[in-house]
Amino acid sequence: MRPVPNLHYNSRDAFYYAKGSLNPFKTCNTWINSGLKNSKMKACLWTPFTQGIFYHYP
């Protein structure tokens, strides 16, 4: 993984280069949720918002 230089909200986060694109139906939250599913971890059926993921990971 290759981080995007000088792109972050604060000093403890990072953005990474990736393939694909996002839209109102495929958000960063659905991308993370898919990664959780692929890792056999708790995940939502579909979650465009963070609440669904944080329900499983308080």
Side-chain angles (χ1 to χ4, degrees), residues 19-32 34 46-49:
K19 294 181 181 179
S21 61
L22 303 175
N23 61 54
F25 301 103
K26 185 179 179 186
T27 66
C28 58
N29 298 307
T30 56
W31 185 80
I32 292 294
S34 294
W46 180 69
T47 181
F49 307 108

Side-chain angles (χ1 to χ4, degrees), residues 8-43:
H8 49 81
Y9 292 118
N10 59 48
S11 62
R12 296 179 358 182
D13 67 5
F15 287 85
Y16 294 88
Y17 290 102
K19 294 181 181 179
S21 61
L22 303 175
N23 61 54
F25 301 103
K26 185 179 179 186
T27 66
C28 58
N29 298 307
T30 56
W31 185 80
I32 292 294
N33 194 55
S34 294
L36 292 170
K37 287 179 183 178
N38 290 335
S39 299
K40 307 291 187 226
M41 297 177 72
K42 293 179 184 176

